[in-house]
Amino acid sequence: MKKYDISYENQQKAKQLNKDYILLLDDIIPYVIKFSKNSMKADILLSSVLNQMIEHQSKINNPKQLYNNLKDYIYKIDKNIHYKSKIKEIKHNDIQRFTMNGLRITMCGYIVVLFLKEILTQHFLIHLYVDSIVAIVAFYITLHNLINTYTLIKKHQLPMNSFIIIIMGLIVSIVLGIITAHNPFDITFLVLVIAYITTKKMLEKEMTLQ
């Protein structure tokens, strides 16, 4: 399948299709994106198309019989979709994802900052190697959730201000962690929490106004 800017959920659905249906999907996706100017509606429409393709494959397994005219086929599916309720459901689910992503970024980002402080002070919680493994895992989780958050922001076509605040919160925490490495007073976690709460409120407000 060619690379298109479609949701993770639809990518997973596409993986259920065999080679012949994937070739057909390569023709359908650009038409769906062109048909629906709004990226969220395009994703909802594509989800319905993929559901039909999966069902068609399991029952008939002949992509040539899926439709005679692509325009009519997409138009018919589009007319049967209740976009308002679908969009409301997607927004609710994605706000929950934003929340979980933000919590993981905050907690795991703080673990990475603590490890940097341990390196500078040479005081480790357990042992250098053990703490290193924990920090590497925490860094991976932080990066993974940053990518997920960025993807969700793009999906809803939101301003990048909230994502910039997340990045700045991480950078400020790292800098403060290094500067105050030998100081028992630590505000790095507070910075991460403030960044998380700020971005969560911003994203919820922006999605409500859409």
Side-chain angles (χ1 to χ4, degrees), residues 95-109 142 145-146 149 166 170 192-193 195-197 199-200 203:
I95 286 174
Q96 299 303 312
R97 290 190 180 113
F98 277 127
T99 301
M100 294 309 299
N101 287 344
L103 287 171
R104 293 189 192 105
I105 291 168
T106 301
M107 298 304 296
C108 293
T142 303
N145 282 274
L146 281 171
T149 299
I166 297 173
L170 287 168
L192 289 170
V193 170
Y196 162 68
I197 293 172
T199 53
K200 185 175 182 293
L203 289 168

Side-chain angles (χ1 to χ4, degrees), residues 24-204:
L24 187 63
L25 183 63
D26 283 339
D27 294 328
I28 292 174
I29 292 177
Y31 185 84
V32 167
I33 293 172
K34 184 179 179 181
F35 182 88
S36 298
K37 303 294 183 182
N38 182 289
S39 61
M40 193 182 300
K41 286 187 176 181
D43 204 57
I44 293 169
L45 177 56
L46 183 58
S47 178
S48 295
V49 171
L50 283 164
N51 288 339
Q52 286 203 11
M53 293 182 76
I54 292 167
E55 183 180 0
H56 193 273
Q57 177 181 271
S58 65
K59 292 181 178 179
I60 301 173
N61 198 21
N62 187 348
K64 292 181 180 179
Q65 294 182 20
L66 183 63
Y67 60 80
N68 293 320
N69 183 282
L70 179 57
K71 181 180 178 181
D72 293 340
Y73 174 68
I74 298 300
Y75 182 79
K76 184 178 178 180
I77 294 176
D78 176 69
K79 288 301 174 184
N80 290 323
I81 298 174
H82 300 288
Y83 282 106
K84 190 173 182 180
S85 60
K86 289 279 187 183
I87 290 173
K88 185 178 179 181
E89 180 184 349
I90 289 172
K91 283 184 176 181
H92 173 75
N93 291 337
D94 284 348
I95 286 174
Q96 299 303 312
R97 290 190 180 113
F98 277 127
T99 301
M100 294 309 299
N101 287 344
L103 287 171
R104 293 189 192 105
I105 291 168
T106 301
M107 298 304 296
C108 293
Y110 183 58
I111 291 172
V112 174
V113 173
L114 285 180
F115 179 71
L116 291 175
K117 293 181 72 171
E118 288 178 356
I119 292 291
L120 293 171
T121 60
Q122 289 296 298
H123 292 146
F124 300 101
L125 185 62
I126 302 175
H127 189 276
L128 172 61
Y129 299 116
V130 177
D131 289 9
S132 297
I133 293 171
V134 173
I136 289 169
V137 172
F139 177 78
Y140 171 79
I141 294 172
T142 303
L143 184 61
H144 179 71
N145 282 274
L146 281 171
I147 293 170
N148 287 344
T149 299
Y150 179 78
T151 303
L152 286 171
I153 289 172
K154 281 189 65 180
K155 173 183 175 180
H156 291 275
Q157 298 177 318
L158 301 174
M160 295 304 295
N161 297 349
S162 52
F163 188 74
I164 293 170
I165 290 173
I166 297 173
I167 299 297
M168 290 303 297
L170 287 168
I171 293 172
V172 171
S173 292
I174 291 170
V175 172
L176 285 174
I178 293 171
I179 293 172
T180 62
H182 297 276
N183 192 328
F185 185 69
D186 185 4
I187 62 168
T188 54
F189 185 68
L190 179 62
V191 172
L192 289 170
V193 170
I194 291 172
Y196 162 68
I197 293 172
T198 304
T199 53
K200 185 175 182 293
K201 288 183 177 179
M202 286 177 64
L203 289 168
E204 285 177 350

